[in-house]
């Protein structure tokens, strides 16, 4: 390389560093948090105003760019270009803050969109944030790795959401970008469920093969690309609905401590950090499709003869308490371990006013989403469970929480709910239903987009400096 070429490269790097300083000085005064009002602390997981500041070290990325190309202009443009997403995020924060003060929601709605204000902490904030996400958000999906463990996942049964999200993200053309320097976040499309299927030795309880796979995968992408090292993984995300998802993430300390982990097993007492992690709704589609009798719930005015219903396996610390106190004790509370042969689980849900949703071995349960589908008010009985989308949804507007210590008072608690309050909960269930439906292909405001929106929120609250 001659002296002139070296001089040009140094000049371009200097321009890039100056541009970087200008970009961040222009956006450094912007911060963002969702407003919270009238919310119960056990449901509300507020997004902090600024989760983390990361000191950007240009030396690593400069060296990477210089290794990748001998063309000076692309080096300069690429270095500057990948800082431009921070400007876009700053603009989104300003727009959301303005929308938070709008009292008349109709002033914000567009394209025939309809929102039920009662189910959100701040409907204006949520709606503007969602619109900004649709307009700006870009996700880079790493191409490294081989199927089935990477780029694939289960698309039916209890881990449906894991495979369907990966599938949608692999095919998506709106949020996915092939230009990694334009991305706001980076997705690692490995499936923990398939790791368990292909790498785990049955009955060994040895999960180190999963952690080794994750460690190797991170080593591959962090060596080949600069993005992981630039932010210490804070703008990267993984997704898993398997109970062992949190354990698999321990294969890399930055993945566990810094990245956005989207997990069904969202247990705040076991390392789940709602300020950076995302609670993933557990959806059990036994044949990959929603049960036919849940596609169109009966009218709101339809009679529901049972006060409450539960049927499920006796595992974990909570369910034995529920069954010991209520199984076969009261015809109003249909509590079973497993339903007798010939009785239909979903028919019971559709015939019940309330559906009891106790945690099992892990905090999440697919019956919460099934209750939403059947418009049977969920009664959540759990400790340390961070509910899905609780940064924007007011769960108390469409569900009831009962403490484990109050299980013996279930009938009194439920019968004390006034009829007009029950009808309000039921109406709100109908409004929130679309946020939990898994469409194929994905549709606006559905569960795929709500998951992405949760990731978007975490990225909004991350500033790279």
């Amino acid at each position: 390389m001659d002296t002139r070429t070296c001089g040009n490269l140094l000049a371009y790097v200097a321009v890039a560093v100056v541009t970087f300083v200008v970009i961040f000085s222009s956006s450094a005064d912007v911060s963002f948090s969702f407003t919270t009002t009238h919310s119960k602390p056990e449901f509300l997981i507020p997004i902090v105003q600024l989760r983390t500041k990361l000191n950007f070290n240009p030396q690593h990325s400069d060296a990477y760019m210089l290794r990748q190309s001998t063309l000076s202009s692309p080096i300069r443009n690429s270095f500057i270009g990948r800082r431009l997403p921070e400007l876009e995020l700053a603009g989104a924060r300003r727009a959301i803050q303005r929308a938070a003060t709008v009292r008349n929601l109709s002033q914000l709605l567009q394209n025939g969109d309809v929102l039920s204000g009662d189910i959100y902490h701040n409907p204006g904030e949520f709606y503007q944030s969602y619109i900004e996400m649709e307009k700006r958000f870009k996700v880079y999906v790493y191409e490294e790795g081989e199927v089935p463990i990477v780029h694939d996942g289960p698309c039916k049964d209890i881990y449906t959401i894991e495979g369907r999200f990966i599938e949608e993200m692999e095919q998506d053309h709106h949020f996915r970008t092939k230009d990694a320097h334009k991305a706001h976040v980076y997705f690692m499309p490995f499936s923990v469920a398939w790791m368990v299927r292909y790498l785990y030795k049955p009955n060994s309880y040895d999960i180190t093969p999963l952690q080794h796979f994750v460690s190797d995968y991170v080593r591959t992408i962090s060596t080949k690309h600069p993005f992981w090292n630039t932010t210490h993984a804070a703008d990267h995300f993984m997704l898993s609905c398997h109970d062992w998802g949190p354990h698999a993430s321990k294969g890399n300390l930055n993945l566990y401590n810094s990245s956005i982990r989207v997990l069904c097993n969202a247990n705040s007492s076991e390392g789940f950090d709602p300020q950076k992690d995302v609670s993933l709704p557990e959806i059990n589609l036994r044949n990959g499709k929603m049960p036919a009798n849940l596609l169109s719930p009966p009218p709101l005015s339809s009679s529901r003869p049972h006060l409450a219903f539960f049927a499920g396996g006796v595992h974990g610390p909570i369910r034995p308490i529920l069954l010991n106190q209520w199984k076969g004790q009261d015809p109003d509370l249909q509590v079973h371990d497993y339903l007798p042969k010939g009785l239909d689980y979903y028919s019971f849900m559709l015939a019940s006013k309330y559906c009891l949703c106790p945690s099992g071995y892990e905090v999440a349960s697919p019956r919460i989403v099934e209750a939403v589908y059947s418009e049977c008010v969920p009664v959540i009985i759990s400790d340390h469970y961070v509910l899905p989308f609780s940064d924007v949804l007011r769960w108390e507007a469409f569900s009831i929480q009962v403490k484990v210590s109050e299980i013996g008072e279930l009938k009194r608690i439920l019968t004390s709910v006034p009829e007009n309050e029950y009808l309000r909960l039921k109406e709100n269930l109908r409004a929130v239903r679309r946020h939990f439906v898994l469409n194929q292909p994905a549709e606006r405001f559905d569960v795929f987009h709500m998951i992405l929106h949760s990731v978007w929120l975490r990225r909004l609250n991350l500033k790279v400096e």
Side-chain angles (χ1 to χ4, degrees), residues 118 149 168 179-180 228 230 232 256 267 309 329 430 432:
D118 198 34
I149 296 178
E168 192 72 34
D179 186 346
W228 179 278
T230 298
H232 306 293
Y256 184 83
N267 189 332
F309 166 67
Q329 297 300 310
R430 180 156 293 190
V432 83

Side-chain angles (χ1 to χ4, degrees), residues 44-345:
L44 176 63
I45 305 298
I47 299 298
V48 294
Q49 193 168 38
L50 184 63
R51 174 167 67 84
T52 301
K53 288 186 178 181
L54 296 172
N55 294 319
F56 176 73
N57 182 357
Q59 292 182 353
H60 170 85
S61 293
D62 291 348
Y64 172 84
M65 295 301 298
L66 291 172
R67 287 198 304 269
Q68 297 302 308
S69 176
T70 59
L71 299 176
S72 53
S73 292
I75 294 173
R76 177 195 61 185
N77 295 337
S78 185
F79 180 87
I80 297 173
R82 71 174 181 270
R83 307 278 32 103
L84 293 179
E86 298 301 323
L87 271 181
E88 297 174 336
L89 293 173
R93 294 183 189 108
R94 287 191 290 267
I96 295 167
Q97 287 175 326
R98 288 193 297 268
T101 64
V102 176
R103 294 185 177 275
N104 186 355
L105 186 59
S106 62
Q107 295 177 6
L108 296 175
L109 298 177
Q110 52 188 272
N111 302 322
D113 289 337
V114 177
L115 288 186
S116 173
D118 198 34
I119 64 175
Y120 307 103
H121 296 304
N122 185 310
E125 271 182 330
F126 165 68
Y127 182 74
Q128 189 63 45
S129 176
Y130 186 91
I131 294 300
E132 295 295 327
M133 176 190 76
E134 286 187 318
K135 182 167 60 176
R136 306 172 187 269
F137 198 31
K138 294 301 176 186
V139 180
Y140 181 76
V141 181
Y142 282 111
E143 298 181 354
E144 286 73 20
E146 302 295 332
V147 293
I149 296 178
V150 185
H151 310 294
D152 192 17
C155 291
K156 60 181 180 180
D157 296 326
I158 199 167
Y159 304 130
T160 296
I161 191 68
E162 185 172 306
R164 290 280 289 273
F165 184 91
I166 293 172
E167 179 184 80
E168 192 72 34
M169 209 60 251
E170 291 277 339
Q171 298 177 355
D172 180 74
H173 299 291
H174 179 74
F175 293 102
R176 184 176 181 180
T177 177
K178 293 289 188 177
D179 186 346
H181 299 96
K182 294 181 179 179
H184 301 97
V185 295
Y186 302 85
F187 178 46
M188 298 167 283
F190 53 70
S191 168
V192 176
W194 275 177
M195 287 183 206
V196 174
R197 178 172 179 176
Y198 294 107
L199 303 178
Y200 171 70
K201 184 178 179 180
N203 302 318
S204 69
Y205 299 100
D206 179 11
I207 59 175
T208 54
L210 283 64
Q211 295 174 341
H212 288 161
F213 182 92
V214 169
S215 177
D216 291 342
Y217 187 84
V218 169
R219 186 180 302 111
T220 298
I221 63 172
S222 62
T223 301
K224 187 174 180 180
H225 305 278
F227 312 108
W228 179 278
N229 298 311
T230 298
T231 65
H232 306 293
D235 56 358
H236 285 59
F237 76 100
M238 60 164 283
L239 180 142
S240 172
C241 198
H242 197 280
D243 291 349
W244 289 350
H247 301 291
S249 71
K250 292 181 180 179
N252 180 275
L253 286 180
N254 279 338
L255 175 62
Y256 184 83
N257 292 320
S258 302
S259 74
I260 303 167
R261 299 179 306 154
V262 185
L263 304 170
C264 284
N265 192 1
N267 189 332
S268 62
S269 72
E270 297 180 355
F272 183 91
D273 180 359
Q275 293 183 359
K276 73 173 189 67
D277 298 328
V278 171
S279 179
L280 180 66
E282 192 168 291
I283 301 176
N284 185 5
L285 300 185
R286 297 172 185 175
N287 62 358
K289 298 179 180 180
M290 187 185 296
N293 51 352
L294 297 186
L295 289 174
S296 301
L300 292 173
S301 59
S302 296
S303 173
R304 296 197 175 221
H306 305 307
L307 176 64
F309 166 67
F310 170 79
V314 186
H315 55 80
I318 298 176
R319 295 184 187 182
I321 300 173
L322 175 65
L323 287 160
N324 287 338
Q325 296 205 33
W326 289 108
K327 180 183 176 182
Q329 297 300 310
D330 192 315
D332 289 338
L333 272 68
Q334 291 289 319
V335 175
H336 309 264
D337 43 9
Y338 291 101
L339 280 178
K341 187 176 181 180
L343 298 180
D344 180 67
Y345 179 82

Side-chain angles (χ1 to χ4, degrees), residues 34-41 43-47 100 116-126 389-397:
F34 261 88
T35 302
T36 57
T37 57
H38 308 298
S39 301
K40 296 182 179 180
F43 288 127
L44 176 63
I45 305 298
I47 299 298
S116 173
D118 198 34
I119 64 175
Y120 307 103
H121 296 304
N122 185 310
E125 271 182 330
F126 165 68
F389 317 137
S390 52
D391 34 33
V392 296
L393 294 181
R394 296 179 60 243
W395 277 82
E396 67 272 23

Side-chain angles (χ1 to χ4, degrees), residues 404-418:
V404 176
S405 60
E406 298 173 329
I407 287 177
E409 299 296 313
L410 266 173
K411 185 169 184 178
R412 180 191 61 79
I413 291 171
L414 298 181
T415 55
S416 67
V417 177

